Amino acid sequence: MKIISNIKHYLYTGLREVFVYHHSSLEFRAKTFAVIIAANRHPAECDYNLVYEAGMQIYNEIGRANMLLLTTREYVQKVHKKNGLTIDDLIDDIRKELRLIPRYALKISPEQLLPLSECTVDEDTSTYQLRIIEFLERIKSEYIP
């Protein structure tokens, strides 16, 4: 059963644009979650459970919630493996996408991002995550008066 799950994950990852309806919107949300989680060098399963719960609140569909979770994990892994992606790159991507599609600012949800900082044990990391959330709120307010 795990083999089928892995194959499905690789197919969805590689062909997200084809299989996932509104994939760019989902990826934008995944980046907002990933930038907070990636700030923690050792994210807990608590972080990913919160992403899944947020996905269920947003989409009310298991498949899309799972895709949000998988995409978020993918971004976090890229940052942690130093695979050419950094937290600053994610933030830059978020800003660029907001400039191109300002309505994405509505997808930044501090209420869903704040609990991620509570999963973090290290106080400095938690503070860093809170500052990132404040920054996201600030750029959200630039696009939504």
Side-chain angles (χ1 to χ4, degrees):
M1 201 61 158
K2 183 153 174 92
I3 293 171
I4 293 171
S5 176
N6 285 341
I7 291 171
K8 188 176 177 181
H9 168 70
Y10 288 120
L11 283 175
Y12 276 128
T13 300
L15 301 170
R16 189 178 298 130
E17 292 180 27
V18 176
F19 289 128
V20 180
Y21 180 69
H22 289 292
H23 72 90
S24 60
S25 170
L26 186 139
E27 286 193 24
F28 180 83
R29 286 187 200 270
K31 286 176 186 178
T32 62
F33 285 107
V35 74
I36 306 302
I37 296 171
N40 184 356
R41 283 299 299 149
H42 306 288
E45 200 56 37
C46 167
D47 294 304
Y48 297 113
N49 290 338
L50 289 170
V51 171
Y52 180 78
E53 289 173 19
M56 286 303 292
Q57 288 175 349
I58 295 164
Y59 302 116
N60 199 25
E61 184 182 321
I62 293 171
R64 286 189 66 81
N66 280 330
M67 187 52 57
L68 177 65
L69 176 62
L70 289 173
T71 307
T72 301
R73 280 185 189 268
E74 184 180 318
Y75 281 120
V76 172
Q77 287 173 353
K78 283 182 179 180
V79 170
H80 287 169
K81 290 184 178 181
K82 297 181 180 16
N83 195 12
L85 186 68
T86 66
I87 290 175
D88 291 338
D89 293 334
L90 280 175
I91 290 172
D92 287 343
D93 284 351
I94 290 168
R95 291 185 76 135
K96 286 176 190 173
E97 287 184 45
L98 283 173
R99 271 186 242 123
L100 292 173
I101 309 169
R103 73 176 182 275
Y104 279 4
L106 295 169
K107 299 179 185 315
I108 298 173
S109 176
E111 302 81 33
Q112 293 172 332
L113 297 174
L114 280 170
L116 294 171
S117 67
E118 295 170 9
C119 289
T120 305
V121 178
D122 180 47
E123 189 176 321
D124 290 338
T125 302
S126 180
T127 302
Y128 181 43
Q129 289 173 321
L130 290 172
R131 296 301 164 255
I132 294 171
I133 293 168
E134 288 172 5
F135 172 76
L136 291 173
E137 286 180 284
R138 201 167 41 254
I139 62 173
K140 176 181 180 175
S141 68
E142 290 175 18
Y143 292 93
I144 300 174

